[in-house]
């Protein structure tokens, strides 16, 4: 990856600027995983939740490179709203890597927490036509034109009618809090197996997700190590290719797989497709101005400025997610 | 020809109610977002987002406050900083909305 600064005469960047030496990066991350387990974590292997997506697949493959297949366990934790593709592709990946995998359907745990019932109540408060079992999702307005991007709830009834309604503060918090049980129950299971085998939990956020706060605190945000959190999504795809991840996983569109209605990551969180988000974040991190990404992304200057502002806004909002518990005094003796 | 005395009286009444409106918004911001901590100082012109006082969830809370407290329907097209990003902007927005809803009852905010 080329180093760029605001003094660089090159004013336009492209995805080629995100190119990395894949083999060297694989070696670097493998070494990081081995050292982390041996020195910092004192654990004998890694547990990784497999979603059939590119990030968890690459993270698992890197763990296998670092530790061998005998020291990596994949967890598949579908629930009633999960896409069938997720489990199928996760099993495909586990077989491809030759790792043990454990399938644990978490629907009954989520029922016990009241996750689905609470979701139903929050949805009905916004769209009374909703009946339990109807597909639903929450979406953001497209693009960055609207300064305040407020979530709307979308419901499809059994006759195929689609209802869309902007969410109130109350119903938004109720639905998100109930839905976050999914990520937190999964993490609870990951740590069960981590304790059971004396393994560490490997998280799989990429740089976009980690930087912008696309995770649930103490849910998918929790892990003992995050081997690809420094990599832009484009770079994760490059590693996937170098690691020979099954083509079907490489070709799969990024999805949240959290709500029963199909939902892209753009309509749920990121305002732009990942390639454009990568370029915006990379340019921003390199101290380059918004105009540096216009040609490569096809965004107008005002759209590029909005995208940069959105990055800052999300960083502000996600500060809470990254924050460790606050203490009255720093306790330096237990560092 | 309007009676200058009664016109002056109306302007005085409007200013008093207008200042009540600013005070009501200020109190909500201080109490709800800052826990009356005084941790962040702000003027009526300051952007509440840029000051770090409210985030995206805070914007939702502000919308609920405006809707419930003043009986105003905040539409999708209203969701812009020019309406919601400072105490002054919020006060102007509320005033405009109330006047649109009921043109004969100008500044009927207590």
């Amino acid at each position: 990856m080329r180093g760029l600064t605001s003094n660089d005469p090159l004013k336009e960047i492209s995805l080629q600027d995100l190119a990395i030496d894949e083999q060297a990066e694989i070696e670097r991350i493998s070494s990081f995983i081995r050292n982390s387990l041996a020195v910092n974590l004192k654990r004998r292997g890694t547990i990784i939740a497999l979603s059939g997506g590119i990030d968890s697949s690459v993270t698992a493959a890197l763990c296998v490179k670092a530790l061998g297949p005998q020291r990596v366990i994949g967890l598949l934790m579908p629930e009633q709203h999960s896409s069938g593709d997720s489990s199928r592709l996760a099993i495909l990946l586990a077989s491809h890597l030759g790792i043990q995998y454990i399938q644990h359907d978490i629907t009954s745990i989520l029922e016990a927490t009241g996750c689905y019932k609470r979701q139903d109540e929050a949805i009905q408060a916004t769209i009374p036509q909703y009946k339990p079992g109807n597909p639903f999702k929450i979406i953001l307005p497209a693009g960055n034109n609207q300064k305040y991007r407020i979530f709307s709830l979308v419901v499809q009834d059994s006759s195929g009618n689609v209802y869309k309604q902007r969410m109130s503060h109350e119903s938004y918090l109720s639905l998100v809090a109930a839905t976050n049980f999914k990520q937190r129950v999964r993490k609870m299971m990951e740590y069960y197996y981590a304790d059971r085998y004396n393994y560490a939990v490997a998280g799989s956020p990429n740089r976009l997700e980690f930087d912008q706060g696309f995770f649930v605190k103490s849910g998918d945000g929790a892990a003992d190590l995050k081997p690809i959190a420094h990599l832009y999504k484009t770079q994760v795809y490059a590693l996937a290719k170098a690691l020979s991840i099954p083509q079907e996983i490489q070709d799969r569109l990024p999805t949240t797989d959290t709500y029963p209605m199909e939902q892209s990551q753009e309509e749920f969180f990121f305002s732009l497709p990942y390639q454009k988000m990568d370029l915006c974040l990379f340019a921003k991190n390199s101290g380059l101005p918004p105009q540096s990404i216009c040609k490569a992304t096809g965004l107008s200057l005002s759209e590029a400025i909005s995208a940069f502002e959105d990055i800052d806004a999300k960083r502000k909002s996600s500060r809470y997610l990254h924050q460790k518990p606050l203490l009255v005094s720093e306790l330096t003796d237990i560092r | 020809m309007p009676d200058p005395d009664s016109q002056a009286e109306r302007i005085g009444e409007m200013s008093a109610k207008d200042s009540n409106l600013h005070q009501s918004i200020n109190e909500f911001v201080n109490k709800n977002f800052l826990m009356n901590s005084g941790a962040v100082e702000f003027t009526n012109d300051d952007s509440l987002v840029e000051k770090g006082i409210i985030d995206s969830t805070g914007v939702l809370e502000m919308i609920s406050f405006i809707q419930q407290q003043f009986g105003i329907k905040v539409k999708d097209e209203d969701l812009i900083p020019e309406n919601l990003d400072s105490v002054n902007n919020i006060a102007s927005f509320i005033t405009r909305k109330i006047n649109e809803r009921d043109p004969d009852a100008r500044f009927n905010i207590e």
Side-chain angles (χ1 to χ4, degrees):
Chain A
M1 190 164 67
R2 291 163 45 186
L4 292 173
T5 71
S6 52
N7 296 324
D8 198 311
L10 178 70
K11 290 296 176 197
E12 286 169 353
I13 60 167
S14 71
L15 284 173
Q16 288 186 339
D17 291 303
L18 292 170
I20 50 174
D21 178 339
E22 291 91 353
Q23 291 308 327
E25 191 61 27
I26 289 167
E27 282 310 313
R28 185 165 84 105
I29 296 172
S30 301
S31 171
F32 160 81
I33 293 170
R34 278 191 298 271
N35 287 337
S36 298
L37 262 63
V39 179
N40 301 100
L41 301 169
K42 309 285 186 202
R43 296 271 169 153
R44 312 285 175 263
T46 55
I47 296 287
I48 175 150
L50 299 177
S51 67
I54 199 77
D55 298 316
S56 62
S57 298
V58 167
T59 305
L62 288 165
C63 288
V64 169
K65 278 274 177 197
L67 309 167
Q70 300 303 319
R71 289 180 182 270
V72 181
I73 297 176
L75 284 187
L76 284 65
M77 293 172 284
E79 47 90 24
Q80 70 175 33
H81 292 156
S82 300
S83 147
D85 262 359
S86 298
S87 289
R88 183 178 63 78
L89 292 173
I91 292 169
L92 174 70
L93 189 272
S95 308
H96 174 77
L97 296 176
I99 61 172
Q100 181 192 350
Y101 69 87
I102 299 166
Q103 197 158 10
H104 195 126
D105 191 308
I106 59 169
T107 301
S108 59
I109 302 177
L110 291 169
E111 280 170 347
T113 64
C115 167
Y116 302 118
K117 186 168 169 286
R118 291 172 207 267
Q119 281 187 323
D120 289 342
E121 288 166 0
I123 297 165
Q124 272 164 343
T126 305
I127 298 180
Q129 292 90 342
Y130 169 81
K131 299 270 186 302
N134 288 160
F136 66 92
K137 62 179 173 182
I138 62 174
I139 60 167
L140 285 168
N144 279 312
N145 299 330
Q146 194 180 358
K147 287 288 184 175
Y148 296 134
R149 302 181 75 227
I150 308 276
F151 276 107
S152 290
L153 178 65
V154 178
V155 162
Q156 187 172 23
D157 71 13
S158 51
S159 310
N161 300 312
V162 175
Y163 303 89
K164 184 180 163 197
Q165 179 68 44
R166 197 180 81 219
M167 301 192 81
S168 70
H169 174 229
E170 264 303 301
S171 59
Y172 170 73
L173 291 182
S174 304
L175 183 56
V176 169
T179 305
N180 286 352
F181 272 126
K182 297 183 181 186
Q183 284 81 4
R184 295 199 171 111
V185 164
R186 289 193 175 109
K187 196 54 66 176
M188 179 181 76
M189 296 308 298
E190 287 168 51
Y191 272 99
Y192 163 73
Y193 286 106
D195 289 345
R196 169 68 184 78
Y197 293 101
N198 198 24
Y199 279 13
V201 171
S204 58
N206 59 58
R207 186 165 187 159
L208 286 182
E209 295 174 339
F210 188 76
D211 182 303
Q212 296 284 278
F214 185 43
F215 58 85
V216 173
K217 190 169 189 173
S218 300
D220 51 336
D224 297 317
L225 69 168
K226 298 182 178 180
I228 60 167
H230 62 297
L231 294 177
Y232 295 93
K233 186 106 178 169
T234 307
Q235 297 169 335
V236 176
Y237 276 102
L239 284 198
K241 196 173 175 190
L243 289 161
S244 302
I245 298 296
Q247 196 60 42
E248 197 180 351
I249 295 174
Q250 291 190 51
D251 293 342
R252 191 186 190 197
L253 287 175
T255 167
T256 61
D257 202 21
T258 296
Y259 293 95
M261 238 171 145
E262 199 169 309
Q263 181 187 48
S264 70
Q265 291 191 346
E266 291 98 81
E267 62 184 4
F268 179 61
F269 189 81
F270 297 114
S271 51
L272 297 167
Y274 78 84
Q275 297 94 333
K276 295 183 181 182
M277 277 302 305
D278 271 354
L279 286 170
C280 291
L281 191 60
F282 174 64
K284 207 167 183 334
N285 289 343
S286 304
L288 294 170
Q291 47 266 43
S292 65
I293 52 119
C294 289
K295 190 174 175 191
T297 59
L299 297 177
S300 67
L301 180 56
S302 67
E303 288 170 332
I305 290 170
S306 292
F308 273 45
E309 287 172 353
D310 193 48
I311 288 172
D312 282 333
K314 285 202 170 74
R315 279 181 175 166
K316 263 188 188 176
S317 295
S318 62
R319 206 169 285 156
Y320 159 78
L321 300 177
H322 286 289
Q323 205 157 44
K324 291 177 184 168
L326 302 173
L327 305 181
V328 172
S329 315
E330 197 186 347
L331 304 179
T332 52
D333 43 347
I334 56 164
R335 261 181 198 162
Chain B
M1 186 81 180
D3 175 355
D5 285 346
S6 69
Q7 198 174 16
E9 198 175 293
R10 275 204 308 279
I11 290 168
E13 190 183 333
M14 282 160 58
S15 301
K17 288 177 176 173
D18 199 29
S19 108
N20 283 345
L21 175 57
H22 285 79
Q23 194 182 334
S24 163
I25 299 163
N26 247 303
E27 277 175 11
F28 175 70
V29 171
N30 270 309
K31 192 173 168 186
N32 192 61
F33 299 114
L34 295 173
M35 315 296 139
N36 287 329
S37 63
V40 183
E41 288 183 4
F42 63 99
T43 69
N44 284 355
D45 279 325
D46 279 333
S47 159
L48 299 173
V49 171
E50 281 173 23
K51 275 275 177 179
I53 297 169
I54 64 173
D55 57 10
S56 52
T57 308
V59 172
L60 281 177
E61 285 179 87
M62 184 60 80
I63 294 166
S64 292
F65 167 73
I66 293 168
Q67 294 194 144
Q68 286 163 17
Q69 198 75 12
F70 302 101
I72 290 168
K73 170 90 180 141
V74 180
K75 298 176 182 168
D76 288 350
E77 57 265 32
D78 297 328
L79 300 171
I80 53 174
E82 289 75 10
N83 291 334
L84 300 170
D85 197 30
S86 69
V87 173
N88 279 342
N89 285 357
I90 295 164
S92 302
F93 171 68
I94 292 169
T95 305
R96 195 170 64 250
K97 280 290 193 181
I98 287 178
N99 289 340
E100 277 171 14
R101 187 183 61 195
D102 190 359
D104 296 329
R106 298 180 73 83
F107 287 89
N108 60 346
I109 306 151
E110 296 299 339

